[in-house]
Amino acid sequence: MESRFYVTTPIYYVNARPHLGHAYTTIVADIAQRYHQTRGQETFFLTGTDEHGDKLAQAAQKEGLTPREYVDKMSAAFRNLWPSLSIEPDRFIRTTDPDHIKVVQMVLQKLFDMGEIYFAQYEGLYCFGCERFILERELVNGKCPDHDRAPELLSESNYFFRMGKYRDWLVKHVSENPGFIRPQRYANEVLGFLREPLEDLCISRPKSRLAWGIELPFDKNFVTYVWFDALLNYVTALGYPDGEAFSRFWPVAQHVVAKDILKPHGIYWPIMCKAAGIPLYNHLNVHGYWNISETKMSKSLGNVVEPLAMAEKYGVDAFRYFLAREMSFGLDASFSEEAIVNRVNADLANDLGNLFMRVLTMAHKYRDGVVPECDCSSEDTMAWDLSGEAKTAVAQYLAAMEDFSFHKAMTAAFEFVSGMNRYVDITAPWTLAKDKSSRIPLDAVLYNLMEGLRMTAAMLYPVMPETARVMVEHLGLSSESLLGGGDDPLAWGTLPAGTCIKKAVALFPRIDPEKALPPQEPEKKGPAVPIKPEITYQDFEKLDLRVATVVAAEAIPKAKKILKLTLDLGEPRTVVAGIALSYKPEELVGKKVVVLANLAPAKLMGITSQGMVLAAVDEEGARLLALDRPAPEGTPVK
């Protein structure tokens, strides 16, 4: 294991207040840092804000503020939120910081002097939402798939970074280094991007159009493109190029990002590093989206979740636990208050809280609140031993945490908690206490349970730091025992006999769903959809509807709403379907669907679609038409 650990979040664009997605990414990075601290490693954790670009200048103008006033206000909203969520970064960087501006200009000058940056006239489609030129093959029905609006034709002179020349090198690096981008599906997505020609990157904006940015050191009439500016923050924070922190931490760098910014982090950033002579990061860890009612959070849809409100309502540790446990890292997950309440009541109140209360209460009742002696290796105590179960849980936990599979780590910890609850029921300490002939069985059971609680606290500390501190302090230990500076907190048998413990407290009182959850609105029947004008049977007969099986399904880079389906229709067909917000690709493989087979082919996102799958669609999403019993591929639907 490396002796150091460096983790970064993206620096968040301050055109809107922080929401659940920002909170999840930053909590995950905090969890990773705390975990590596428990392993005795020296760590550095970076987050911050991205404060240049078109959208920020426009947002400031709308509020009647200067860009600087606006970004100061919005950056403070992020900085002030993190302590409220038990997030403790080592540095909060801003792209308006003087040291960052210096690094950006230094790297730009170096690349310009090397001939990696050139000046050229360019005409193309520009999406102001993406703040970049967009290719025709990326459009869906003539619109940017991310912002659902047509880009504008723009012609201007700019500076370009020779990104295209590094395409083959990056394909080789990603292919030969499993784990460079993880989970693997996102490495595959980057390789999918790179199957197309990689164009050079426009890295400037004329001041005549945008003045709010970092000025190019070799041409004062231009400012730097926001991504070329922002990505360099990861080395700025360590004092690149000569800082001691850079030499210590950059070789172990890990980034955490959401999947919507995979392309700049998986393509632009490694190529920028390669060209500038900066060693590459170790891992790019990519997570999915939080969906609300199966729909991605969106300010325009009004379904943005305020993280501080959730933490204040349900508790910071409960909120952090829910996020870590509920999302399978790399996949999308669903957020609801009902799911939080269920997790708190089942896992935290019933399992963990109940166990903690029972064990400490019995320790006071039967042993006056003192940890009893227990020789775990003696034949008299072997029958009561829990160390094997603890070591199994810890092994699963460690493997999951190293792989950023936080949900699996929490599953391992809570399976151990459930096992201890069963252990209490099976050993029945209240019955053992009646046997006055020997103290050994009861001492062994109580020691095993208290040591199990201590190890549980160590596993929970990265996710629920305050809960873990309360647990170990009630077991008579200091909170420093959770960290890896001395004894390994995940090694069995380190709870000293004779330690005085405190009386139990309720870690997580049960939540009354009726009081906590917002009132449920009556189910809406939905607006009546007008029937279209009548057609004849002859008109209907023109439609060739067929049964097909989904053989493969995959996401399309930069397309949030559509999937590429490979169908068996009695013959192979490729169909592009607008169902990505309702179905994950892996859910579709093997499904029988109904297809309009004689629809004229159309090109979407550079893919020729040969038909259309049928679905019922309303405000809650799409539901594919299905058969009530199997039919062979190609069967007509009459």
Side-chain angles (χ1 to χ4, degrees), residues 311-571:
E312 288 176 344
K313 185 172 183 178
Y314 297 108
V316 174
D317 276 14
F319 180 62
R320 286 172 61 107
Y321 171 72
F322 172 80
L323 296 183
R325 178 65 182 81
E326 202 72 12
M327 176 176 276
S328 175
F329 194 89
L331 299 177
D332 292 351
S334 295
F335 179 91
S336 71
E337 288 195 57
E338 183 179 6
I340 293 180
V341 170
N342 290 340
R343 279 279 174 215
V344 170
N345 286 343
D347 297 359
L348 304 184
N350 287 3
D351 287 357
L352 178 63
N354 186 45
L355 176 69
F356 186 74
M357 181 68 74
R358 293 169 86 187
V359 172
L360 268 63
T361 298
M362 288 189 293
H364 276 275
K365 183 175 182 179
Y366 303 131
R367 292 296 180 261
D368 298 322
V370 176
V371 177
E373 290 276 358
C374 177
D375 180 359
C376 296
S377 62
S378 76
E379 290 186 10
D380 292 326
T381 61
M382 289 295 285
W384 314 100
D385 187 38
L386 266 177
S387 64
E389 290 85 343
K391 289 172 183 174
T392 297
V394 166
Q396 294 171 346
Y397 168 86
L398 291 173
M401 291 295 282
E402 290 290 337
D403 195 40
F404 272 60
S405 297
F406 305 110
H407 64 295
K408 291 182 181 179
M410 290 298 96
T411 297
F414 275 85
E415 283 178 353
F416 182 53
V417 168
S418 296
M420 283 195 286
N421 273 311
R422 290 191 297 272
Y423 177 86
V424 172
D425 295 336
I426 292 168
T427 59
W430 48 89
T431 300
L432 296 176
K434 295 175 183 177
D435 182 1
K436 305 301 181 183
S437 64
S438 174
R439 293 174 55 96
I440 291 175
L442 182 57
D443 285 351
V445 167
L446 290 177
Y447 181 86
N448 274 271
L449 286 168
M450 285 187 273
E451 175 66 347
L453 283 175
R454 184 199 63 76
M455 289 187 69
T456 299
M459 285 190 280
L460 297 183
Y461 168 73
V463 176
M464 296 190 285
E466 188 55 35
T467 299
R469 289 189 189 105
V470 169
M471 289 176 69
V472 295
E473 287 171 3
H474 275 72
L475 290 168
L477 304 174
S478 71
S479 58
E480 283 72 26
S481 67
L482 294 163
L483 303 177
D487 293 331
D488 182 355
L490 293 175
W492 180 266
T494 63
L495 180 62
T499 302
C500 294
I501 64 173
K502 298 179 182 179
K503 291 196 173 181
V505 293
L507 293 178
F508 293 96
R510 280 186 59 81
I511 298 172
D512 182 346
E514 291 188 4
K515 293 180 180 177
L517 296 176
Q520 299 295 310
E521 295 182 10
E523 187 175 347
K524 297 178 181 178
K525 292 184 178 179
V529 178
I531 302 295
K532 293 184 178 179
E534 292 181 353
I535 62 172
T536 66
Y537 183 71
Q538 287 73 24
D539 291 328
F540 175 74
E541 277 199 315
K542 294 176 183 177
L543 304 179
D544 190 356
L545 303 173
R546 300 285 179 129
V547 174
T549 298
V550 180
V551 177
E554 59 184 287
I556 299 172
K558 297 302 293 179
K560 303 293 173 58
K561 299 179 181 178
I562 59 178
L563 298 174
K564 176 185 176 183
L565 308 182
T566 302
L567 305 178
D568 180 357
L569 195 73
E571 64 181 32

Side-chain angles (χ1 to χ4, degrees), residues 547-621:
V547 174
T549 298
V550 180
V551 177
E554 59 184 287
I556 299 172
K558 297 302 293 179
K560 303 293 173 58
K561 299 179 181 178
I562 59 178
L563 298 174
K564 176 185 176 183
L565 308 182
T566 302
L567 305 178
D568 180 357
L569 195 73
E571 64 181 32
R573 285 285 186 97
T574 298
V575 170
V576 175
I579 55 174
L581 298 180
S582 300
Y583 292 92
K584 296 173 184 175
E586 58 268 24
E587 296 175 332
L588 295 168
V589 177
K591 278 189 180 294
K592 294 275 190 182
V593 294
V594 177
V595 180
L596 179 56
N598 63 334
L599 185 69
K603 203 156 192 175
L604 299 170
M605 295 291 287
I607 300 167
T608 300
S609 181
Q610 303 167 291
M612 180 184 293
V613 296
L614 272 60
V617 181
D618 61 15
E619 60 187 11
E620 295 185 2

Side-chain angles (χ1 to χ4, degrees), residues 120-132:
Q121 177 76 19
Y122 185 82
E123 180 175 281
L125 299 171
Y126 190 83
C127 175
F128 283 91
C130 296
E131 298 195 41
R132 69 179 180 90

